[in-house]
Amino acid sequence: MTAAPPRPALAETARTLRDLVRAEAAESERLRTLSPPLVDAMWSSGLMTALNPVQAGGLEPTLPEMIETWIEMAWQDGSFGWTGIANLPSSFAAATYLPDQGFAEVFTANGNQVTMGGQFAPNGQGAVTEGGYRLSGAWNFGSGTGHSQYVAAGFLPMDGGEMRWIADGVPELMVALLPRHEVTFTDGWFVQGLKGTGSFDYTVADVFVPEHRTFRLFSREPLRGTSPAGRMGMMAVTAAGHAAWALGVAKSMLDDVQELAATKFRMSDMAALAGRPTFQKGLAHHVAAWRAARLLVLDAFGSAEDAVARGDDLTPTMRADMRVAAVYATDVARDSAQWAHLAAGTSSIREGSRLERAFRDLYTGTQHAFISEKVAIDSAQVWLGVMDDHFSL
């Protein structure tokens, strides 16, 4: 039997927070944003800056290291894990792609102690003006903004009332970074699951954003850092996060129902759940499916990263492979969660239990457009040669 690879050091760092995360989970849900002790722990442990380039206090981990860390965080709690795939990549992108003046203003001037969240989708418009943009727009589900000093806002630059295009059929999409006080929060975070993520709605009305506090959404030209991730872009890192998050939450449910099975008796059953052949078969199937999905994710992202590290181009096929792996892992996670929820019976509906919270979290997080059916279709069309590329992959 091949020995399992050692757990990455960053995932071990996350593992040290298990007791605190369990203790604070209910409080984060009550606050509807990550509790202050958890935010403090992300900073004191080094997690908050871990993905950053070295110049911004980061470790520049590999994508497999990021994936294993996010799986661990999401296994602990869905909201904690989701914040990890929101705040950490936001800071990574800003620190990697901001022009030097923007980096100095946002990171250096703050001793790299900067938390970021928000929505990168282009739900705003930025009228081009001297030195920057006049930004207006409304963004929903700004993950991690409850404790963020800077808020990311995706937008379309409008030059003389017209959109900008960087290639045939490819619009220019930008991301602005705004100090918290320039953003109006309208809340809206009253939801079924992921309640502790502080994913608030927000608006901006005719706020000037200097050019140096913006960067292109699909940039793969890093200004800082030496890791291949910077040359793979925000879409690859975000896809890795979504795949890992779904796998982590699903694993928590599989682990919890397996532990429960020894003492769980369903009404009219003479044996514990662990003794039922149907449960045994279901557990074997879903644990195997989960392991296979994890290996697919690590292979797709790790292979693409290795190619980029060798100096190869990140091809449309590689990008499609990563996005399909993320969609597949999400589908497997959802199926595993549903099975665990049903197998646990009434134990899975007790308010406040890990099983109940994880089920709500998973069915909320998997509604995200980033791992939707449309992504799988676009990716398959690249594989089939129906299209040469799709800019959003």
Side-chain angles (χ1 to χ4, degrees):
M1 181 182 296
T2 303
R7 181 185 294 271
L10 189 58
E12 284 291 351
T13 297
R15 188 182 180 92
T16 65
L17 303 181
R18 282 188 172 189
D19 290 343
L20 178 63
V21 171
R22 182 184 288 268
E24 292 292 323
E27 179 65 3
S28 292
E29 287 216 330
R30 187 188 70 80
L31 295 172
R32 296 186 302 119
T33 191
L34 213 60
S35 70
L38 284 183
V39 176
D40 291 345
M42 290 181 72
W43 276 110
S44 62
S45 67
L47 280 177
M48 197 69 88
T49 57
L51 270 60
N52 290 359
V54 170
Q55 297 93 322
L59 301 175
E60 300 190 21
T62 65
L63 282 174
E65 287 174 326
M66 296 181 196
I67 289 164
E68 295 288 17
T69 301
W70 282 322
I71 288 175
E72 169 63 29
M73 293 176 71
W75 181 92
Q76 294 178 32
D77 176 64
S79 289
F80 181 59
W82 192 268
T83 302
I85 71 168
N87 288 148
L88 276 59
S90 296
S91 181
F92 156 84
T96 301
Y97 304 118
L98 273 179
D100 287 345
Q101 185 178 353
F103 179 80
E105 177 184 330
V106 175
F107 287 91
T108 307
N110 292 297
N112 295 327
Q113 299 293 297
V114 180
T115 310
M116 295 182 188
Q119 188 185 94
F120 285 60
N123 289 341
Q125 293 188 356
V128 177
T129 188
E130 184 177 358
Y133 305 90
R134 304 295 310 187
L135 181 64
S136 296
W139 294 263
N140 298 323
F141 308 135
S143 297
T145 56
H147 54 269
S148 294
Q149 292 95 338
Y150 277 85
V151 177
F155 71 97
L156 294 166
M158 304 297 290
D159 199 346
E162 299 291 332
M163 290 174 56
R164 285 177 170 174
W165 301 86
I166 59 176
D168 185 27
V170 182
E172 184 171 51
L173 305 178
M174 301 291 292
V175 178
L177 290 179
L178 300 110
R180 187 179 188 87
H181 65 84
E182 293 183 355
V183 174
T184 300
F185 286 95
T186 55
D187 198 346
W189 194 237
F190 297 93
V191 286
Q192 176 187 27
L194 292 178
K195 293 184 176 184
T197 59
S199 301
F200 301 130
D201 300 346
Y202 55 98
T203 64
V204 174
D206 195 34
V207 170
F208 175 73
V209 183
E211 179 78 29
H212 65 256
R213 267 201 277 112
T214 68
F215 59 90
R216 278 184 170 173
L217 175 60
F218 295 131
S219 178
R220 294 201 293 272
E221 299 176 358
L223 300 179
R224 269 152 241 105
T226 60
S227 72
R231 302 194 300 278
M232 297 174 74
M234 189 62 179
M235 296 301 101
V237 174
T238 302
H242 277 279
W245 178 84
L247 288 172
V249 179
K251 183 64 161 56
S252 78
M253 295 190 69
L254 290 173
D255 288 350
D256 286 359
V257 78
Q258 183 174 344
E259 181 180 354
L260 175 70
T263 57
K264 174 70 177 180
F265 287 80
R266 302 293 298 270
M267 185 177 294
S268 77
D269 278 355
M270 300 302 293
L273 189 61
R276 295 175 59 187
T278 53
F279 175 81
Q280 296 162 0
K281 172 62 169 61
L283 181 67
H285 171 79
H286 288 288
V287 169
W290 185 93
R291 290 176 179 174
R294 172 183 169 273
L295 290 175
L296 172 65
V297 168
L298 290 171
D299 177 69
F301 287 89
S303 296
E305 185 175 48
D306 288 345
V308 172
R310 291 192 303 266
D312 297 343
D313 291 334
L314 185 68
T315 66
T317 299
M318 291 177 190
R319 287 163 33 228
D321 289 349
M322 290 186 288
R323 296 299 297 273
V324 167
V327 173
Y328 180 76
T330 301
D331 291 344
V332 168
R334 189 187 297 112
D335 290 344
S336 297
Q338 183 180 30
W339 174 82
H341 174 79
L342 293 173
T346 54
S347 297
S348 64
I349 65 172
R350 298 289 184 183
E351 189 172 358
S353 71
R354 265 172 48 99
L355 273 168
E356 183 265 345
R357 186 170 60 249
F359 186 74
R360 287 189 287 107
D361 288 345
L362 195 62
Y363 271 82
T364 299
T366 56
Q367 294 284 6
H368 202 286
F370 205 84
I371 32 77
S372 69
E373 178 185 72
K374 174 69 162 54
V375 174
I377 292 169
D378 290 343
S379 299
Q381 289 184 351
V382 170
W383 285 347
L384 292 166
V386 175
M387 63 172 72
D388 294 331
D389 196 357
H390 196 290
F391 71 90
S392 68
L393 292 178

